[in-house]
């Protein structure tokens, strides 16, 4: 604590920033780490684990035969084709109306469904405050009819037609199939958030690499062992998003699954929007609501870097208390092993001030046609659960799972639960055999937070 205060005072007197991020020590094999120069002088550390696969078998006819475990890729008959058709209308009064016109996979709050199809439905919500979603208004009683002699009743007043401000149409076909570790065209990308590093994914990287998956996890600029430019413009959302685009283009396969945590969810959303044909599925862990990013002007992170350097022990303690459901020796060790919240104060301040992404609003998220799994830790003090519930309502294919014993760093607190949940989602594919049965059912609808949806059925695990 005294060292931090001394360094902060010297920083203020000399006008120089404290030492920048240095490469962190890691017990992982050196051959799994790569350093990628995304721009001149901008180098990111990437952990890339390429599984060992069986070599192709050469037959007598000199034709290469694929090994048995390579069967069942995205081009096989196991994939399901889903018609994604949506009409999104934004009115001038801030009202958002989403009409699902195609085959819509049922989105169930808190629990994952087995991919049942629901009939066409309409979602009508207000953009003003996503935490207070208006419910369906009670029907107003009709005014009494005045009968004077044989005078006809007055016709009802004509409803003024609203003029839409913006209208978006989505009409596409998406192939959804299970992704196994034995499929050579599948790659998993893990993106951490502010103050983290690729080491927070240690349990997930080891688990899925053992299953045969190719995994890629980068350190954001200024985090972990990546370079830390001393310029605030290097840490804006768009600068970091371009870094992730470069990493994605370098390692992407035919079918890619993006897994993001906290701020990293925004970069996964960006990539899924930019590369819809290559992104197969997305996992959002404690990412928050589908709102445009805008930095807070009344945040502690707006203080000078030297002041933040003095407060770094308090900030680390606050992150430990808010990021974990429990604050014991195990959680402190996890925080140390994951190198979380161990970044330069200048980088931290620039990251928080650079979270400006006006395009990432509700319409932007509603345009996504990729299946998405939402994971939320019940004790998360950074992201309220109603934000992830709101995200589940806006997204086209969304499953929300709440882990009761987890918090913001749920992938470190409950690695086995998260790994199992993610693996089931990777292997999941929609059951299209129930399509006709869903269409023949009568229109039974319920209203949940202003969303008109099909009557929920008993919870079932996702198909493996």
């Amino acid at each position: 604590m005294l060292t931090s205060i001394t360094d902060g005072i010297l920083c203020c007197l000399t006008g120089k920033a404290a030492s920048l991020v240095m490469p962190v020590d890691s017990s992982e094999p050196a051959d799994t780490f790569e350093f990628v120069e995304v721009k001149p002088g901008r180098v990111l550390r990437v952990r890339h684990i390429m599984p060992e696969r069986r070599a192709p078998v050469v037959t007598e006819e000199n034709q290469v035969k694929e090994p048995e475990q390579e069967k069942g890729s995205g081009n096989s008959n196991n994939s399901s084709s889903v018609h994604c058709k949506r009409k999104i209308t934004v009115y001038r009064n801030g009202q958002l109306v989403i009409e699902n016109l195609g085959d819509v996979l049922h989105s169930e709050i808190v629990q994952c469904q087995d991919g049942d199809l629901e009939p066409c439905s309409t979602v009508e919500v207000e953009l003003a405050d996503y935490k207070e979603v208006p419910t369906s208004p009670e029907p107003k009683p009709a005014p009494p009819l005045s009968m004077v002699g044989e005078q006809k009743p007055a016709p009802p007043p004509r409803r003024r037609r609203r003029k839409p401000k913006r209208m978006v149409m989505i009409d596409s076909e998406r192939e959804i199939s299970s992704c196994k570790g034995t499929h050579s065209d599948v790659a998993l990308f893990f993106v951490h958030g502010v103050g983290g590093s690729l080491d927070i994914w240690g349990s997930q990287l080891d688990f899925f690499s053992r299953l045969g998956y190719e995994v890629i996890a980068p350190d954001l600029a200024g985090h972990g062992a990546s370079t830390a430019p001393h310029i605030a413009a290097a840490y804006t959302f768009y600068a970091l998003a371009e870094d992730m685009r470069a990493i994605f283009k370098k390692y992407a396969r035919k079918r890619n699954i993006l897994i993001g945590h906290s701020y990293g969810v925004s970069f996964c959303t960006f990539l899924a929007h930019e590369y819809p044909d290559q992104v197969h599925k997305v996992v959002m862990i404690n990412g928050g609501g589908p709102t445009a990013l805008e930095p807070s002007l009344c945040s502690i992170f707006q203080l000078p870097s030297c002041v933040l350097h003095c407060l770094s022990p308090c900030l680390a303690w606050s992150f430990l208390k808010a990021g974990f459901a429990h604050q014991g020796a195990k959680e402190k060790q996890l925080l140390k092993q994951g190198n979380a919240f161990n970044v330069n104060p200048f980088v931290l301040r620039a990251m928080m001030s650079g979270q400006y992404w006006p395009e990432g609003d509700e319409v932007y998220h509603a345009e996504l046609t990729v299946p998405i799994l939402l994971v939320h830790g019940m004790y998360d003090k950074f992201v309220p659960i109603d934000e992830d519930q709101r995200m589940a309502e806006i997204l086209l294919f969304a499953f929300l799972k709440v882990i009761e014993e987890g918090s913001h760093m749920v992938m470190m607190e409950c690695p086995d639960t998260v790994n199992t949940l993610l693996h089931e989602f990777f292997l999941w594919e929609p059951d299209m055999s129930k399509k006709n049965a869903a269409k023949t059912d009568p229109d039974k609808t319920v209203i949940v937070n202003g969303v008109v949806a099909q009557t929920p059925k008993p919870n079932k695990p996702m198909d493996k």
Side-chain angles (χ1 to χ4, degrees), residues 72-76 78-80 175-179 183 255 280-281 425-430:
S73 60
N75 296 329
S76 66
N78 295 334
S79 61
S80 301
E175 297 288 337
I176 305 175
S177 62
S178 63
C179 298
H183 297 163
R255 294 185 294 165
H280 201 67
K281 296 176 182 178
F425 180 64
F426 297 165
L427 301 180
W428 168 83
E429 60 180 310

Side-chain angles (χ1 to χ4, degrees), residues 162-237:
R162 297 173 295 177
K163 294 182 179 180
K165 179 181 178 181
R166 180 185 176 191
M167 184 178 298
V168 179
M169 291 294 300
I170 302 172
D171 192 352
S172 63
E173 293 284 338
R174 172 168 286 276
E175 297 288 337
I176 305 175
S177 62
S178 63
C179 298
K180 301 179 180 179
T182 53
H183 297 163
S184 60
D185 63 339
V186 175
L188 310 182
F189 289 82
F190 294 84
V191 185
H192 67 83
V194 177
S197 72
L198 62 85
D199 297 315
I200 67 174
W201 300 109
S203 299
Q204 287 71 43
L205 299 179
D206 294 340
F207 177 81
F208 288 105
S209 61
R210 288 196 300 267
L211 293 178
Y213 286 95
E214 179 180 0
V215 297
I216 303 97
D219 277 333
L220 296 179
H223 294 66
S226 297
T227 57
H230 193 67
I231 177 174
Y235 304 100
T236 63
F237 172 83

Side-chain angles (χ1 to χ4, degrees), residues 32 50 96 136 184 265 284 308 345-346 390 401 442:
T32 62
M50 188 72 178
L96 176 68
S136 179
S184 60
V265 169
M284 300 180 177
L308 291 178
F346 173 82
R390 173 67 167 179
K401 178 65 178 181

Side-chain angles (χ1 to χ4, degrees), residues 348-411:
L348 181 61
R349 183 177 187 270
M351 287 281 292
M352 300 302 293
S353 301
Q355 294 185 2
Y356 179 70
W357 186 33
E359 293 84 2
D361 57 4
E362 297 189 343
V363 177
Y364 189 93
H365 288 81
E367 291 176 341
L368 296 177
T369 60
V370 57
I372 297 176
L373 172 65
L374 301 167
V375 180
H376 184 88
M378 178 65 74
Y379 294 97
D380 191 350
K381 294 183 176 65
F382 292 110
V383 180
I385 188 174
D386 55 357
E387 292 193 14
D388 277 330
Q389 288 177 337
R390 173 67 167 179
M391 182 75 84
E393 295 171 358
I394 294 298
L395 295 172
L396 180 60
F397 302 154
F399 305 95
L400 175 58
K401 178 65 178 181
V402 176
I403 300 180
E404 296 183 356
E405 62 273 17
S407 183
H408 192 67
M409 307 299 291
V410 64
M411 64 282 186

Side-chain angles (χ1 to χ4, degrees), residues 63-318:
Q63 294 181 354
V64 178
K65 181 180 179 181
E66 294 294 332
E68 292 298 327
Q69 64 264 34
E70 298 295 333
K71 295 181 180 180
S73 60
N75 296 329
S76 66
N77 295 329
N78 295 334
S79 61
S80 301
S81 178
V82 178
H83 184 200
C84 307
K85 189 173 183 181
R86 238 181 181 192
K87 181 180 178 182
I88 308 170
T89 307
V90 180
Y91 293 93
R92 299 185 183 276
N93 63 351
Q95 195 173 36
L96 176 68
V97 177
I98 303 175
E99 300 177 68
N100 297 322
L101 307 176
D103 299 335
V104 183
L105 297 182
H106 183 57
S107 301
E108 178 66 13
I109 303 300
V110 179
Q111 298 291 340
C112 296
Q113 288 289 336
D114 60 348
D116 292 347
L117 295 179
E118 67 175 357
C120 300
S121 60
T122 301
V123 180
E124 185 170 351
V125 293
E126 297 289 343
L127 290 176
D129 188 358
Y130 61 84
K131 294 183 180 181
E132 298 179 3
V133 184
T135 56
S136 179
E138 294 293 335
K140 297 182 179 180
L145 301 180
S146 57
M147 300 298 293
V148 180
E150 297 181 357
Q151 184 180 1
K152 296 182 180 180
R158 297 186 60 181
R159 190 174 183 180
R160 186 175 180 181
R161 190 171 184 178
R162 297 173 295 177
K163 294 182 179 180
K165 179 181 178 181
R166 180 185 176 191
M167 184 178 298
V168 179
M169 291 294 300
I170 302 172
D171 192 352
S172 63
E173 293 284 338
R174 172 168 286 276
E175 297 288 337
I176 305 175
S177 62
S178 63
C179 298
K180 301 179 180 179
T182 53
H183 297 163
S184 60
D185 63 339
V186 175
L188 310 182
F189 289 82
F190 294 84
V191 185
H192 67 83
V194 177
S197 72
L198 62 85
D199 297 315
I200 67 174
W201 300 109
S203 299
Q204 287 71 43
L205 299 179
D206 294 340
F207 177 81
F208 288 105
S209 61
R210 288 196 300 267
L211 293 178
Y213 286 95
E214 179 180 0
V215 297
I216 303 97
D219 277 333
L220 296 179
H223 294 66
S226 297
T227 57
H230 193 67
I231 177 174
Y235 304 100
T236 63
F237 172 83
Y238 296 102
L240 298 172
E242 289 302 320
D243 291 347
M244 295 301 101
R245 185 202 295 270
I247 297 297
F248 181 79
K249 293 175 66 175
K250 177 178 176 61
Y251 296 101
R253 300 297 179 184
K254 186 175 181 181
R255 294 185 294 165
N256 304 279
I257 301 178
L258 309 179
I259 303 96
H261 171 252
S262 191
Y263 192 28
V265 169
S266 299
F267 303 117
C268 294
T269 303
F270 171 80
L271 293 176
H273 203 277
E274 293 291 311
Y275 303 97
D277 295 333
Q278 291 181 268
V279 176
H280 201 67
K281 296 176 182 178
V282 176
V283 178
M284 300 180 177
I285 303 178
N286 294 326
T291 55
L293 297 180
E294 185 174 353
S296 175
L297 300 178
C298 300
S299 172
I300 189 176
F301 298 103
Q302 297 298 328
L303 296 174
S305 301
C306 53
V307 178
L308 291 178
H309 188 75
C310 297
L311 298 177
S312 57
C314 298
L315 294 177
W317 178 82
S318 300

